[in-house]
Amino acid sequence: MSSNAPRHTALDALHRSLGATMTDFAGWDMPLRYGSERDEHLAVRTKAGLFDLSHMGEITVSGPQAAELLNHALVGNIASVGVGRARYTMICQADGGILDDLIVYRLADTAYMVVANASNAQVVLDALVERAAGFDASVRDDRDAYALIAVQGPESPGILKSLTDADLDGLKYYAGLPGTVAGVPALIARTGYTGEDGFELFVKPEHAVELWQALTEAGEGVGLVPCGLSCRDTLRLEAGMPLYGHELNTSLTPFDAGLGRVVKFEKDGDFVGRTALQAAAERAAENPPRVLVGLIAEGRRVPRAGYQVVAEGKVIGEITSGAPSPTLGKPIAMAYVDAAHAAPGTAGVGVDIRGSHEPYEVVALPFYKRQK
């Protein structure tokens, strides 16, 4: 088997039986959509959607100095995360550039699970192994040990409650607890990438199909539908959540991305990128470079990543992500623009779409926030 052949998740045959349109994503064959991506998107906003996220990269860090290693390797204060809780963080290069954004779960006193984006899993694994030198801790590639299924949307708590006796009401956002779902042992995490309430279920690959089928049956009466990566992208875009390779990359620091809050200078010990990130924080405070903003189209033409943002005949920025928004009924985009044009309501901003300057409204992110 050639190294170029796509990898398949444990749910591959099931996706095909459901008529999914498959696509290559970071070397994995993944469902793009099952039917209408707009219908899938709206199901997550109003009812519930079921996602296969088994392409994500799980890395286990354990040992007496696991917390110290992660504090050194990542920009967040991981040692302060309680057992059973999770934290959004980043791993940066020595020059402050973002290698990936991550979620870290503290599974036990000396055990953590780092979840990396599929496209960066090997890079993150290699960086953690390298940074582990001198620490009494081990780094293990657990990508093949897990399948990951997400159920997202307002009906998701009810669907999951019908299949588990785990204390979902007590499970806070960005927390995880071990439990059993439809008889399958799982790490149940209240996390997601859609802007809705929902859960991510880490299970052994051999249990993925039975869990997916149990969730499908439990959601039949409340409008649960299988969802592909296409609607996952429009959901996260509406929620103003960054996507690596679009809003985040190695040429940007967390401060450039408006996510400086994830960098914890006050934590104990040195960490990779500290000096460069302190300089980036000072630059951002004094004279911010381009700022990440939301743009809403006045017309119908959809902006795409790489399109130029213009004002007064000059290029003032670049689109990082763009798509039609099923919730707003208009095209939307995220873009890095010059600070002088970043304030919500700034007049005269447009996007160059094939030579035509289409008018756009500058807005604060996110575009969509669920009602609690």
Side-chain angles (χ1 to χ4, degrees):
M1 182 174 169
S2 83
S3 60
N4 298 332
R7 298 182 69 181
H8 298 279
T9 78
L11 294 161
D12 185 74
L14 195 149
H15 298 315
R16 292 168 197 278
S17 75
L18 292 171
T21 299
M22 306 297 285
T23 188
D24 175 69
F25 185 84
W28 290 82
D29 219 4
M30 298 297 293
L32 188 65
R33 71 182 78 80
Y34 297 85
S36 150
E37 47 204 59
R38 183 177 178 275
D39 289 350
E40 291 172 24
H41 179 112
L42 293 173
V44 176
R45 285 276 176 262
T46 60
K47 298 182 178 96
L50 193 57
F51 296 83
D52 178 10
L53 306 179
S54 303
H55 61 313
M56 300 295 280
E58 295 88 5
I59 301 162
T60 301
V61 178
S62 58
Q65 289 189 303
E68 290 89 340
L69 162 57
L70 289 170
N71 264 14
H72 164 71
L74 312 180
V75 301
N77 187 353
I78 307 306
S80 69
V81 178
V83 173
R85 297 307 301 263
R87 184 157 297 165
Y88 176 77
T89 188
M90 293 183 184
I91 183 167
C92 290
Q93 298 177 151
D95 67 1
I98 303 165
L99 280 173
D100 201 13
D101 61 334
L102 311 164
I103 295 180
V104 179
Y105 297 89
R106 188 168 195 169
L107 304 178
D109 273 344
T110 58
Y112 297 81
M113 181 168 66
V114 177
V115 181
N117 285 298
S119 55
N120 296 327
Q122 191 63 48
V123 169
V124 173
L125 178 68
D126 292 345
L128 287 174
V129 168
E130 185 185 321
R131 295 173 190 188
F135 289 93
D136 186 4
S138 64
V139 176
R140 186 176 71 227
D141 180 358
D142 269 344
R143 281 176 285 181
D144 293 335
Y146 291 103
L148 178 56
I149 295 173
V151 55
Q152 298 277 300
E155 297 286 354
S156 58
I159 292 167
L160 205 53
K161 274 181 189 172
S162 72
L163 296 173
T164 184
D165 55 9
D167 179 18
L168 298 186
D169 291 334
L171 187 65
K172 296 185 174 71
Y173 187 51
Y174 266 70
L177 87 168
T180 304
V181 181
V184 170
L187 172 67
I188 304 166
R190 200 165 206 152
T191 44
Y193 193 51
T194 62
E196 297 299 335
D197 190 12
F199 303 87
E200 294 181 322
L201 306 170
F202 295 86
V203 299
K204 287 182 176 173
E206 57 264 33
H207 293 148
V209 170
E210 63 181 292
L211 180 58
W212 178 283
Q213 289 171 333
L215 288 162
T216 299
E217 285 167 25
E220 264 171 10
V222 291
L224 175 82
V225 300
C227 293
L229 293 182
S230 186
C231 83
R232 180 170 151 91
D233 192 48
T234 52
L235 289 159
R236 71 92 195 165
L237 178 56
E238 287 184 351
M241 294 175 168
L243 175 63
Y244 196 88
H246 289 256
E247 288 72 40
L248 309 174
N249 57 57
T250 51
S251 67
L252 296 168
T253 73
F255 294 95
D256 296 322
L259 291 163
R261 65 181 179 276
V262 305
V263 181
K264 303 299 182 190
F265 293 118
E266 70 279 8
K267 65 180 173 175
D268 292 339
D270 195 14
F271 63 91
V272 178
R274 179 193 273 274
T275 305
L277 289 167
Q278 278 173 324
E282 286 160 21
R283 280 197 308 275
E286 287 164 26
N287 183 19
R290 288 183 165 175
V291 178
L292 189 64
V293 301
L295 297 172
I296 300 180
E298 291 180 22
R300 311 300 309 165
R301 296 183 76 183
V302 178
R304 298 297 181 192
Y307 285 13
Q308 293 178 332
V309 184
V310 292
E312 296 147 17
K314 292 202 257 318
V315 176
I316 58 149
E318 186 176 298
I319 300 291
T320 53
S321 298
S325 164
T327 304
L328 276 62
K330 295 176 180 179
I332 60 172
M334 287 200 274
Y336 282 107
V337 302
D338 294 346
H341 293 87
T346 300
V349 173
V351 176
D352 185 339
I353 301 183
R354 297 190 185 87
S356 165
H357 289 188
E358 301 286 329
Y360 274 72
E361 180 190 356
V362 180
V363 299
L365 292 168
F367 300 96
Y368 166 86
K369 206 163 192 176
R370 72 182 173 95
Q371 303 301 307
K372 292 281 192 256

